Amino acid sequence: MIYVDYAATSWPKPPCVAEAMTDYLEHTGGNPGRSGHRLSIAAARVIYEVREEVASLFGIADPLRVVFTPNVTEALNLAINGLLDPQDRVVTTAMEHNSVMRPLRALEKAGVEVLVVPCHPDGQVDLEAMRATVTHGTKLVVVNHASNVVGTIQPVADIATIAHEAGALLLLDAAQTAGALPIDQHALGVDLLAFTGHKALHGPTGTGGLVLGDDFDPSLLRPLVRGGTGSRSEFEEQPDNLPDKYESGTPNGVGIAGLGAAIKWLRDTGIHTIRAQEIELSRALIEGLSAIPGLRLYGPPRAEDRTAVISVTLEGWRVSEVGLALDDEYGILSRVGLHCSPAAHRTLGTFPEGTVRLSLGPANTRSDVEAVIAAMKELAESR
Amino acid sequence: MNEYGVAVFPSSSVAMRAEALAQRAGYAVRLIPTPRDVSSDCGVVLRFDWAKRSGIESLLREAKVDVLDVRPLRQSHRTGGLPSA
Ligand SMILES: Cc1ncc(COP(=O)(O)O)c(C=O)c1O
């Protein structure tokens, strides 16, 4: 079996992830921060340590500005719904995932002005159009750091400059890049960073978060969910302190423990090392696939300009049939269709059929890449 | 017998941060259940050696940790020592 669906979720996870989760369930498991006994304290300590890991991963000074959520979708919903009011203007790109577009379209009905900046055919945002659209009075700019369809990496620092010059905040959807690329939130100028734990961070599903930049003013951001925090119970109003303001309900302690182990594994392995290997494998895959007649590649031609996500279509084939043939006949696990991103596929010219997406990760090898190329070649020739 | 003090925080996450900072700075501290007479609902407070009060206070102030209160601990029972730093 060859797993090339890392953009959906990473697999396999490093063994330390399951070990940390088992350890949490068997030995740690009090309700974090609710009680004062040793198991409750131990659970809260585990979660706090993972906040430190996440903060240091993204270059944030205060670990309490790491807000855990079940996934990036909820982190994006928290940021988008918590910041925007009717009459506000928000700018985004034509490469976004539905976890950004759907909350924005819902707010649009409530009177928020939503502007979508076009992107070049390879997925790169049109910076001139961005500059013209993000006018003074824009409250928020939301950008997908790297496309989940074709891997295109956006020039985040340039977009941040444009946003900040107009007095707007920048929210980054780092679903595809957290763990895959080195990210320094301050150097990039990102006010709010939304991440998910189960993709390139190699953690378990059910983990993610919103990281508030050290200069971001939390009074601007309403919570999405309110309820018990284990703190300030004498008040019936939601507390203001971080992260409790945004973390009601018993957290996913076991998942967060696994996420912490995954980030330590990433640190030990080295994001740069993984990135270098992914660039090499992507380059080989792009090169091999480009030589196949009838196969069309999307996205930036250079592996350095994208994460390890390659999208293709095959002349004469429906993408769903390619996906099935790859799975059944070759044991190659890919993802086909629209990848929750109709806007991106419109930009690429692949709407509504979608693409076959091949996304690589640290467990992939050169021989995996060769097997994928050989399989695609056979399919192309069998038409 | 040592005299203890406790630092009180708005939430357990803040308490965890205070504990980590104090331990890294070499202080012997321990999170204990919040005593009844301390007005906080956060389940734990950070207990420390009262003689180290000013050092711990300035450490937490410099790290911008939200400290609600620092006070001596009134003990009615034996409640165990501090772990060595
Ligand atoms: C760019 C992007 N944003 C958001 C998401 C949503 O991720 P999750 O399902 O973990 O919330 C994904 C992945 O599916 C993605 O690739």
Side-chain angles (χ1 to χ4, degrees):
Chain A
M1 193 169 73
I2 297 176
Y3 186 83
V4 284
D5 197 17
Y6 272 86
T9 197
S10 50
W11 185 88
K13 309 292 183 191
C16 60
V17 173
E19 284 160 19
M21 295 172 78
T22 304
D23 185 67
Y24 183 94
L25 287 172
E26 289 182 350
H27 304 297
T28 311
N31 193 326
R34 267 49 175 186
S35 321
H37 57 72
R38 70 185 75 178
L39 288 187
S40 173
I41 293 173
R45 197 178 280 130
V46 167
I47 293 173
Y48 174 74
E49 284 167 5
V50 183
R51 279 189 221 285
E52 288 197 332
E53 290 288 351
V54 174
S56 107
L57 181 69
F58 298 127
I60 289 290
D62 183 357
L64 300 183
R65 288 180 164 253
V66 174
V67 173
F68 286 120
T69 61
N71 47 46
V72 69
T73 300
E74 189 159 317
L76 291 164
N77 270 270
L78 162 59
I80 288 168
N81 290 292
L83 285 169
L84 295 172
D85 294 305
Q87 320 308 328
D88 281 343
R89 185 188 314 129
V90 53
V91 175
T92 190
T93 83
M95 286 300 284
E96 299 308 307
H97 191 272
N98 267 344
S99 54
V100 166
M101 290 316 300
R102 286 180 174 169
L104 289 182
R105 293 302 180 202
L107 286 177
E108 193 172 32
K109 293 212 172 74
V112 172
E113 187 186 359
V114 179
L115 301 175
V116 181
V117 174
C119 295
H120 300 297
D122 69 353
Q124 282 267 337
V125 69
D126 180 338
L127 277 178
E128 283 315 307
M130 176 67 83
R131 201 165 283 123
T133 310
V134 183
T135 49
H136 216 81
T138 303
K139 179 120 168 232
L140 179 67
V141 176
V142 192
V143 176
N144 184 353
H145 193 179
S147 164
N148 52 304
V149 179
V150 281
T152 316
I153 300 169
Q154 300 295 4
V156 177
D158 296 334
I159 297 169
T161 304
I162 293 171
H164 293 160
E165 276 172 10
L169 294 164
L170 178 62
L171 165 63
L172 191 68
D173 175 358
Q176 291 293 330
T177 52
L181 304 178
I183 297 180
D184 182 324
Q185 195 166 334
H186 289 303
L188 285 177
V190 172
D191 299 288
L192 295 165
L193 181 146
F195 72 93
T196 207
H198 67 95
K199 297 185 194 265
L201 288 175
H202 283 77
T205 49
T207 58
L210 186 69
V211 184
L212 315 185
D214 286 309
D215 301 324
F216 174 79
D217 174 5
S219 73
L220 299 174
L221 184 67
R222 283 180 298 265
L224 186 65
V225 176
R226 296 175 179 83
T229 56
S231 56
R232 322 230 81 183
S233 297
E234 65 272 39
F235 301 111
E236 292 191 347
E237 282 78 33
Q238 189 73 7
D240 268 339
N241 65 280
L242 297 176
D244 289 18
K245 180 177 180 185
Y246 307 112
E247 283 187 6
S248 293
T250 300
N252 178 12
V254 60
I256 292 169
L259 177 64
I263 298 176
K264 283 196 196 102
W265 170 85
L266 259 183
R267 187 153 35 76
D268 292 345
T269 312
I271 291 183
H272 284 99
T273 308
I274 295 173
R275 174 72 180 144
Q277 182 191 323
E278 287 182 1
I279 287 179
E280 198 187 309
L281 292 182
S282 306
R283 192 180 291 136
L285 184 57
I286 292 170
E287 214 176 279
L289 293 174
S290 331
I292 299 174
L295 183 146
R296 183 145 177 222
L297 271 159
Y298 300 86
R302 279 166 25 105
E304 290 81 354
D305 299 331
R306 58 202 293 170
T307 51
V309 180
I310 316 291
S311 250
V312 304
T313 51
L314 211 50
E315 202 181 295
W317 282 83
R318 312 200 57 179
V319 294
S320 53
E321 287 164 3
V322 176
L324 192 60
L326 285 176
D327 190 347
D328 279 358
E329 294 164 32
Y330 303 93
I332 294 171
L333 312 189
S334 66
R335 179 168 170 195
V336 302
L338 290 176
H339 315 98
C340 305
S341 305
H345 281 282
R346 285 201 177 88
T347 296
L348 301 166
T350 48
F351 187 84
E353 173 73 1
T355 55
V356 181
R357 183 181 73 182
L358 307 159
S359 50
L360 308 173
N364 287 129
T365 61
R366 192 66 190 227
S367 76
D368 290 350
V369 167
E370 273 151 24
V372 170
I373 296 167
M376 294 299 280
K377 190 153 181 282
E378 273 189 22
L379 293 180
E381 284 164 359
S382 71
R383 277 299 304 171
Chain B
M1 194 180 87
N2 267 346
E3 261 200 80
Y4 291 130
V6 290
V8 186
F9 308 98
S11 76
S12 72
S13 298
V14 181
M16 295 300 143
R17 176 157 164 74
E19 181 196 44
L21 290 166
Q23 281 175 343
R24 257 168 237 158
Y27 290 103
V29 293
R30 182 171 170 189
L31 292 168
I32 60 166
T34 304
R36 194 66 209 99
D37 59 315
V38 172
S39 148
S40 163
D41 169 68
C42 166
V44 290
V45 293
L46 189 69
R47 193 176 70 180
F48 58 89
D49 184 349
W50 189 242
K52 300 280 163 47
R53 173 186 180 173
S54 68
I56 286 186
E57 274 188 323
S58 61
L59 172 81
L60 298 179
R61 197 178 322 112
E62 267 160 42
K64 300 206 178 77
V65 174
D66 189 359
V67 182
L68 297 181
D69 193 13
V70 170
R71 53 152 81 191
L73 178 65
R74 285 210 335 250
Q75 291 198 91
S76 38
H77 297 282
R78 191 166 54 82
T79 51
L82 291 167
S84 50

